[in-house]
């Protein structure tokens, strides 16, 4: 996308819609917001434009006027013409677009097993990093993919339960609140979007995925490690092995559609746990965490 002039980019966005390849899915995005267009041109520049391929998700950001706030610019997110959540301040459009695409994937994709997890790849194998919100998952994922790991996703572990492989879907990585400054200090080379304030998750800034991760988004991998991370302020590093039973419960509870797929999920997670080395990670220091994870992933 970054190879076409901004005028053409904006014309696509505001008219027929811009079609972007995001891992195994194609997303058509429409908006007439020039500000959002500028953010997307900067952060989406490495995505491939698609023309005639099937599009799984048609999304749109449109302005809306609220009766109670007639002079404040607001907008809505639409999926296939349907509004999925309440209007939001127009300056939060980028965050709403990313959340809306996540919601669409979580609600509609059931041929894959979806884990709430970051996924990175090293030496041909995937590292699964499942965690609840606030655990430092995205922050750790951002550090890893700028230090030699390939980004699959910071949000979705897309597993083909029949082939037991993970599919990359490298998208923007949303940092929250204190994590923004931490990453700016630790990774000055990372490209971050604008700081979006006063969202329901606080202040958000999105990290652009590395170019190589997007270019290799058709390259799948089997998992070899499952690490449940948690950031704890000033805590010494701990990387403790987990039993298969504890890892199974933690991983199954971090799935979006485990219950929907039923027996298929149970069998797939069982095989996955048996084929992986499982750990719980407590960290507060990036260098220590990356050294510990690197010792695992380089010991093949």
């Amino acid at each position: 996308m970054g190879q076409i002039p901004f005028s053409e980019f904006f014309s696509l966005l505001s008219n027929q819609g811009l079609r972007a390849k995001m891992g195994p899915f194609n997303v058509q995005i429409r908006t007439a917001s020039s500000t959002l267009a500028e953010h997307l041109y900067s952060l989406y520049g490495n995505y491939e434009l698609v023309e005639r391929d099937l599009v799984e998700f048609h999304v749109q950001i449109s302005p809306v006027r609220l009766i109670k706030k007639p002079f404040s610019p607001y907008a809505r997110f639409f999926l296939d013409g349907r509004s999925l959540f309440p209007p939001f301040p127009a300056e939060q459009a980028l965050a709403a677009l990313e959340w809306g695409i996540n919601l669409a994937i979580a609600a509609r994709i059931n041929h894959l097993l979806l884990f709430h997890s970051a996924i990175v790849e090293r030496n041909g194998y995937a590292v699964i990093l499942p965690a609840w919100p606030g655990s430092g998952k995205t922050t750790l994922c951002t550090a890893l993919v700028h230090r030699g790991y390939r980004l699959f996703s910071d949000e979705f572990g897309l597993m083909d339960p029949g082939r037991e492989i993970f599919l990359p879907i490298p998208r923007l990585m949303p940092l929250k609140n204190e994590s923004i400054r931490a990453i700016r200090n630790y990774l000055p080379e990372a490209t971050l979007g604008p700081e979006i304030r006063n969202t329901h998750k606080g202040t958000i800034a999105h990290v652009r995925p590395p170019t190589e991760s997007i270019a290799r988004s058709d390259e799948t991998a089997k998992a070899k490690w499952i690490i449940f991370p948690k950031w704890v302020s000033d805590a010494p590093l701990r990387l403790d092995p987990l039993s298969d039973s504890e890892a199974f419960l933690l991983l199954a509870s971090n799935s979006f559609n485990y219950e929907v797929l039923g027996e298929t999920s149970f069998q797939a997670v069982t095989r996955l746990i048996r084929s992986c080395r499982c750990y719980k990670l407590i960290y507060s220091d990036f260098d220590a965490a990356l050294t510990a994870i690197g010792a695992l992933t380089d010991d093949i």
Side-chain angles (χ1 to χ4, degrees):
M1 292 187 188
Q3 295 180 354
I4 65 175
F6 176 75
S7 58
E8 181 180 343
F9 181 89
F10 187 40
S11 178
L12 286 172
L13 270 176
S14 56
N15 291 290
Q16 66 266 42
L18 183 148
R19 296 183 171 200
K21 181 181 185 298
M22 297 184 182
F25 310 123
N26 295 327
V27 181
Q28 180 174 288
I29 304 169
R30 291 183 63 195
T31 185
S33 167
S34 58
T35 301
L36 178 57
E38 290 171 0
H39 297 331
L40 295 179
Y41 192 66
S42 170
L43 297 172
Y44 275 36
N46 291 323
Y47 286 118
E48 178 184 346
L49 281 172
V50 294
E51 295 182 1
R52 298 181 178 86
D53 295 350
L54 175 70
V55 171
E56 284 83 4
F57 307 109
H58 297 78
V59 301
Q60 184 172 352
I61 298 287
S62 297
V64 63
R65 178 170 293 183
L66 302 185
I67 295 176
K68 294 183 178 180
K69 298 182 179 180
F71 301 108
S72 299
Y74 272 71
R76 277 190 182 274
F77 172 88
F78 293 90
L79 172 65
D80 296 335
R82 296 181 58 190
S83 177
L84 297 188
F85 42 80
F88 47 84
E91 63 268 20
Q92 298 178 6
L94 177 61
L97 176 66
E98 291 297 299
W99 288 329
I101 294 173
N102 284 346
L103 182 59
I105 294 171
R108 292 191 173 182
I109 300 303
N110 284 317
H111 67 286
L112 301 171
L113 184 54
L114 308 183
F115 295 108
H116 183 234
S117 131
I119 305 278
V120 297
E121 177 265 330
R122 177 90 156 197
N123 296 324
Y125 291 98
V127 184
I128 308 174
L129 300 162
W132 295 108
S135 299
K137 165 179 61 68
T138 296
T139 314
L140 179 60
C141 178
T142 300
L144 287 166
V145 302
H146 285 84
R147 292 293 185 266
Y149 291 76
R150 176 163 64 104
L151 174 67
F152 271 46
S153 173
D154 90 289
E155 179 70 16
F156 288 110
L158 303 180
M159 181 184 182
D160 183 326
R163 295 186 294 163
E164 300 176 33
I165 59 171
F166 283 84
L167 286 67
I169 180 170
R171 296 181 52 233
L172 306 188
M173 295 170 280
L175 300 174
K176 296 184 287 293
N177 303 314
E178 293 83 1
S179 295
I180 299 170
R181 179 178 294 181
I183 287 297
R184 288 193 191 278
N185 291 337
Y186 188 71
L187 299 170
E189 70 274 24
T191 299
L192 275 69
E195 293 193 11
I196 304 168
R197 303 184 185 279
N198 302 316
T199 78
H200 68 283
K201 294 187 178 182
T203 299
I204 304 291
H206 297 82
V207 182
R208 187 174 69 183
T211 302
E212 182 185 9
S213 295
I214 295 178
R216 298 175 61 192
S217 62
D218 289 330
E219 299 180 26
T220 61
K222 288 198 170 186
K224 196 173 183 68
W225 306 274
I226 303 174
I227 302 173
F228 297 87
K230 184 172 179 58
W231 181 86
V232 177
S233 178
D234 298 323
L237 183 96
R238 291 191 57 181
L239 184 65
D240 299 324
L242 285 179
S243 66
D244 285 358
S245 58
E246 186 175 2
F248 183 100
L249 291 173
L250 288 172
L251 188 59
S253 65
N254 275 283
S255 170
F256 291 97
N257 59 349
Y258 181 89
E259 294 182 356
V260 174
L261 297 184
E263 181 68 18
T264 298
S265 297
F266 176 80
Q267 296 295 341
V269 174
T270 298
R271 292 191 299 268
L272 178 62
I273 293 295
R274 288 173 176 171
S275 65
C276 290
R277 295 157 63 185
C278 304
Y279 301 88
K280 182 178 290 186
L281 171 70
I282 303 294
Y283 80 99
S284 61
D285 178 78
F286 288 128
D287 287 334
L290 267 60
T291 298
I293 295 173
L296 295 178
T297 56
D298 293 337
D299 182 22
I300 298 180

